[in-house]
Amino acid sequence: MTVASVRRRRRDRSARSVLRIAGILLVTLAFLAPLVWMLAASLKSNLEIIDPGRTFDFTPTFKNYDTVFGDQAFGPFIVNSLIVGTGSTLVALLVGVPAAYGIARYRIKNATVFVLLARIIPGVSLLIPWYFLFSQIQLVGTYLVLVLTHFFVTMPLVVAIMTSFFEGVPEELEEAAQIDGTSRIGAFARVVLPLSVPGIATATILSFIFSWNNFLFALVLSDQGTRTLPVAISNFTSYAAVDWGGLMAASVIITVPVMIIALVAQRYVVSGLTAGATKG
Amino acid sequence: MFTTHRVKRLALVLPTVAALVAGVGACSGGDDDPNSLTLIAANSPWAEGIKVLAEDYKAETGITVKVDTYSNEQLNDTYKVKLNAQSADFDLMAYQPQDVMREFSRNGWLADLSERVESDAAWNWQDFQQPARDAVTLDGAVYGVPVMTERHIMYYRADLLKDAGIEVPETLDELKAAAAKLDDPDNGVYGIAMRGARVPLVTQFSSFLYSFGGDFQDASGKATVNTPEAIAAYRFYGDLLKDSGPPGAANMGWVEASAIFAQGNAAFYLDADSQAYTFLDEANSAVTDTVAYAKFPEGPAGSLAYNIVPQAVGVNELSDKQDQAWDFLSWASNEANSKRLLNEQTAPVARQSAWDDPAATANYPEGLVDIIRNAGDGYISHDRPMLEQVARAREFVGGPAVAAIEGGDVASAAEQANTDFQALLDSER
Amino acid sequence: MTAQTARRRSPIDWVDANLKWLLTTPAVVAVFALIAFPIGYTVYLSLTDSARAVTRPYEFVGLDNYLYWLGDTQRFWPAVGRTAYFTGLALTLELALGLAIALLLRKTFRGQGLVRVFILLPLVATPVAVGMMWLLMFEPSIGFANVVMDWLGLPAQGWLSDKDTALNTLVFIDVWQWTPMVVLILLAGLSTLPEEPDEAARVDGANAWQRFRHITLPLLMPVIVAAAILRAIDAFKTFDIIYATKGRGGGSNNEAETLNILAYGEAFEYSQYGRASALLMLFFLLIVIVLAVLAVLRKKGNRA
């Protein structure tokens, strides 16, 4: 290796990293820009929002946030969405992760297909039969029914993601643990699970997001006391007016809790780097 | 180490189970509770007012009235799901008479209130405006109490007309000329804004249709959207938007069209009077000082605009608390409370006595009150086809107007629409 | 076997022996319990002419509803075409972009946590609100999109209100909203890939593209396929953004009417429950067929 080629390699590498940084900035901007617009809109009056000339020229006001927490009393809705989101995600993980492992290790393709069926079914065909079922057992308007119906949507997601992860974990590792005297299920818990933390973190974030955004089931199965955020958002569409500012402010508020959860969980999404070292 | 994993898992499981149990326990019932009623309604000034009234009702009678509100679109979806599943979860239901009353009553979902409304002399059913009473009556039976009324009016920019020396149009031809004159797209001002999306436009188009001497159906219920009068009306509506309207009109519902006017970008806007508030609210409108109101202009057959009931409240036939439900409903719609709703919430109620009372109308936009007080004459009480499958019919009869806006063949579109519409009517016989 | 293992007989060993069933049964049973009644009910209704209310009298019409749809060249087949076009285009773009972005974000860098969360935001913002926001932005006269077009010196477009560009605009919105999900899944997948094969290839002199194509890509395949299947299923059923921006019927000329929107309108606007159920069954079958075809192709790909 000559000095010249070392210098060339260093130049290439820094050119590449400049490109990389530019790329990352561009991508982040592309995804963020509309949401920044939304944030700005939440600080404007309705009139300013519908005027494209005033995109950058406006006086910020917190009136919309006042409406959201005051008139519309969004606090309880946030709590409801949190309860349902956490509940359904936990149950989905509890049921879905082991199922995914079983499918991956025992190669039960049919189970994946069956579980995916739950996601293929269009929500429309579920509404009336479910409403009928759940009202018969008096569950309409409870948290349980929302957790159940959201679980129905998120569990297949967990299974689909985790199956592909488990398939990527070489079986030799578990076999090695078993030779040392651990049970199969012990091997699963002690060896496989830690290696799959990125997958689990991903499944958790996505599952929570899907539950958070679910609109159709909550529309019909919740009552004023258990109403979740997506349904509550419709409160800003009144008979003869749309409160754009309020709508945007509510949307901003809605993203905050999920952002926090995602911030915490995403650290685990790429944690496999250290776990990879133990794969020896 | 296995045990620590198990402990970690338990730490996850226990709260979940606890949450689930709490969830089951926190069954927010209220069904069987005799001291509570549930009302489902659409977001509207009336619904806002009812929430306030409900508190007073509770103080007076000890009965809690829970009010669940939804946006208009979701309201009907919610009803269809719940009532198809035979739900008794709610007792009072606000609905759009023209869209769903026929269907819901034939489904057996709306209680027949005829006796109740007639028998209470003090409450005075006759005080409700005639078109409003007609709107909630079907085959002689009354299925709800009208709680809001709405008329087609012409909003215009007094300043723009004055600057151009144009008189307020009193006929449709004058409107067309005025809109053309004031149409100035290069400076961002369009002559006129109106709904142009196929289904939403039908209700606004109706007034044009009537004023040209046409109607969706004739007296015997046959489809009549291919008559020369109808075709003339379609052409007129479409040309107005095509020549003096904003781009993309065929995609606009009231939300987009009213936004254009509110922003000051249109000289005329013809739509329901219930939207006046948006234009008077400083946070929502740039035309608070310049907006003015006028009666719907005359067409060849006169000025025949719609005066409809956008919201009526009925009693859920499947509820077991119909008596209590009626008690609350009649209380909330009595003369005193109607005046209160008109005054405090500017809810456009249906009682003539409320509109005749200057104290009650004090907060209502001036120009509008006159139009409304005289709303009994020359107004048509429907603004869309009258049959069960209104939604589908609207798709058919709105088509020719879209064709006109886009510069297509209106006559053949109208023929096709009539055929389809008639087929739909036949299927309901 | 030593005395130690002989002592640990009952619970754990029983669990191990029946592990296959213990692991998968809860999921399968849960799905079955929740899905059985609705599917049965939908199939039942699809064979009747139930309309207006399911409690009104109806008759059995056998496969009439199905034949109606299969012969409907006005709404059904165009909707199938639109659904296929939308799903195909959106899926391709999302996978390609998602992979590219995931590779971009793979190596550690300062602020990566924040970037990853920012990228998630389109996914997190409520679809209904996102739809209305885009509706405003793409509005031809008062929207921001045409302002940008003006800056770039391009002609103003009709976007969502123009029947020729509406569907493509919707694809754009969908790609904006869902690519982050693909990125997230692929990032996690990339992070669990072993490093040795890659290192070995680099030592052998392979360049970045070769390493990607022959090492990273094959190892990442299971995860890519998982993301593809999940997105495909959801893209077929896309509802929220279309409904929020085009409303019922997918617009004045049905220009954005996909199968799900059509089914929803048939059920909740026209109250034609029998016909809507048949349509839903057809829709369901369509998705299953497409997935089956993909699965067969994948198997062939694996064998090759």
Side-chain angles (χ1 to χ4, degrees), chain B residues 358-379:
Chain B
T361 59
N363 292 328
Y364 217 72
E366 272 178 55
L368 278 184
V369 180
D370 283 323
I371 302 180
I372 297 175
R373 272 199 195 123
N374 302 317
D377 321 317
Y379 277 85

Side-chain angles (χ1 to χ4, degrees), chain B residues 62-141:
Chain B
I63 297 184
T64 318
V65 178
K66 286 191 290 179
V67 181
D68 273 0
T69 58
Y70 298 88
S71 73
N72 261 324
E73 303 249 306
Q74 291 146 12
L75 187 68
N76 290 337
D77 295 347
T78 311
Y79 284 146
K80 288 189 182 175
V81 173
K82 296 197 184 206
L83 291 168
N84 266 309
Q86 307 269 287
S87 166
D89 277 355
F90 55 96
D91 313 290
L92 289 160
M93 44 197 288
Y95 61 90
Q96 298 155 303
Q98 292 189 89
D99 282 333
V100 302
M101 187 174 77
R102 215 172 224 100
E103 191 183 310
F104 284 10
S105 62
R106 291 200 187 140
N107 290 348
W109 292 344
L110 289 172
D112 182 346
L113 302 175
S114 320
E115 271 202 43
R116 294 188 195 265
V117 300
E118 298 290 353
S119 61
D120 193 340
W123 181 75
N124 197 0
W125 178 230
Q126 306 304 320
D127 184 25
F128 287 85
Q129 289 180 324
Q130 183 66 49
R133 276 180 281 142
D134 290 342
V136 294
T137 311
L138 181 65
D139 300 331

Side-chain angles (χ1 to χ4, degrees), chain C residues 167-232:
Chain C
L167 204 54
N168 285 328
T169 314
L170 284 166
V171 170
F172 169 80
I173 298 177
D174 195 79
V175 169
W176 174 82
Q177 191 172 29
W178 292 100
T179 307
M181 170 164 145
V182 177
V183 170
L184 189 67
I185 297 181
L186 293 182
L187 255 185
L190 282 172
S191 76
T192 53
L193 290 187
E195 305 201 330
E196 307 76 52
D198 200 61
E199 278 305 309
R202 186 188 300 207
V203 167
D204 281 351
N207 66 28
W209 171 250
Q210 286 168 326
R211 276 182 282 134
F212 170 69
R213 197 166 175 289
H214 295 282
I215 306 213
T216 318
L217 198 55
L219 283 178
L220 199 58
M221 249 326 153
V223 180
I224 295 183
V225 169
I229 292 182
L230 281 174
R231 260 321 289 153

Side-chain angles (χ1 to χ4, degrees), chain A residues 46-47 50 131 141 224 227 239, chain B residues 28 68 89 150 263 283-284:
Chain A
N46 283 331
L47 183 58
I50 60 178
Y131 187 83
Q224 203 73 358
R227 187 176 279 200
Y239 179 67
Chain B
S28 35
D68 273 0
D89 277 355
E150 189 174 85
Q263 250 216 290
N284 281 323

Side-chain angles (χ1 to χ4, degrees), chain A residues 45-48 50-52 63 87 90-91 94 127-128 131-132 135 138-144 147 185-186 188-190 193-194 215 219-220 222-224 226-227 231 234-242 244, chain B residues 1-2 5 9 12-13 16 20 23-24 26-28 31-32 43-45 66-72 74 77-78 80-82 84-85 87 89 148 150 254-255 259 262-263 274-275 278 282-286 310:
Chain A
S45 71
N46 283 331
L47 183 58
E48 287 163 343
I50 60 178
D51 182 356
K63 180 165 161 292
L90 282 177
V91 179
L94 268 171
L127 285 180
I128 296 182
Y131 187 83
F132 178 72
S135 61
Q138 307 232 308
L139 278 185
V140 176
T142 61
Y143 289 121
L144 180 58
V147 167
I185 185 146
F188 167 57
R190 290 172 60 197
L193 269 187
F215 170 77
L219 174 69
V220 172
S222 69
D223 68 7
Q224 203 73 358
T226 52
R227 187 176 279 200
V231 181
S234 70
N235 285 345
F236 292 100
T237 324
S238 177
Y239 179 67
V242 174
W244 293 104
Chain B
M1 249 213 292
F2 181 66
H5 274 267
R9 258 219 221 127
L12 290 179
V13 170
T16 315
L20 290 181
V24 177
C27 222
S28 35
D31 269 356
D32 314 321
N43 293 322
S44 63
K66 286 191 290 179
V67 181
D68 273 0
T69 58
Y70 298 88
S71 73
N72 261 324
Q74 291 146 12
D77 295 347
T78 311
K80 288 189 182 175
V81 173
K82 296 197 184 206
N84 266 309
S87 166
D89 277 355
M148 276 173 56
E150 189 174 85
W254 63 264
V255 171
Q263 250 216 290
S274 47
Q275 290 168 34
T278 340
E282 296 239 328
N284 281 323
S285 145

Side-chain angles (χ1 to χ4, degrees), chain B residues 317-347:
Chain B
E317 173 76 349
L318 304 166
S319 148
D320 0 280
K321 290 183 252 173
Q322 292 190 31
D323 291 331
Q324 295 96 308
W326 170 251
D327 285 339
F328 175 70
L329 180 55
S330 55
W331 176 86
S333 58
N334 66 23
E335 195 176 319
N337 281 326
S338 295
K339 289 190 181 171
R340 204 176 141 189
L341 285 170
L342 176 56
N343 187 31
E344 289 174 18
Q345 302 292 338
T346 58

Side-chain angles (χ1 to χ4, degrees), chain A residues 199-243:
Chain A
I200 296 183
T202 309
T204 306
I205 298 179
L206 287 176
S207 172
F208 189 82
I209 290 178
F210 273 98
S211 165
W212 192 255
N213 283 340
N214 183 284
F215 170 77
L216 209 53
F217 302 149
L219 174 69
V220 172
L221 295 169
S222 69
D223 68 7
Q224 203 73 358
T226 52
R227 187 176 279 200
T228 56
L229 286 168
V231 181
I233 269 227
S234 70
N235 285 345
F236 292 100
T237 324
S238 177
Y239 179 67
V242 174
D243 184 2

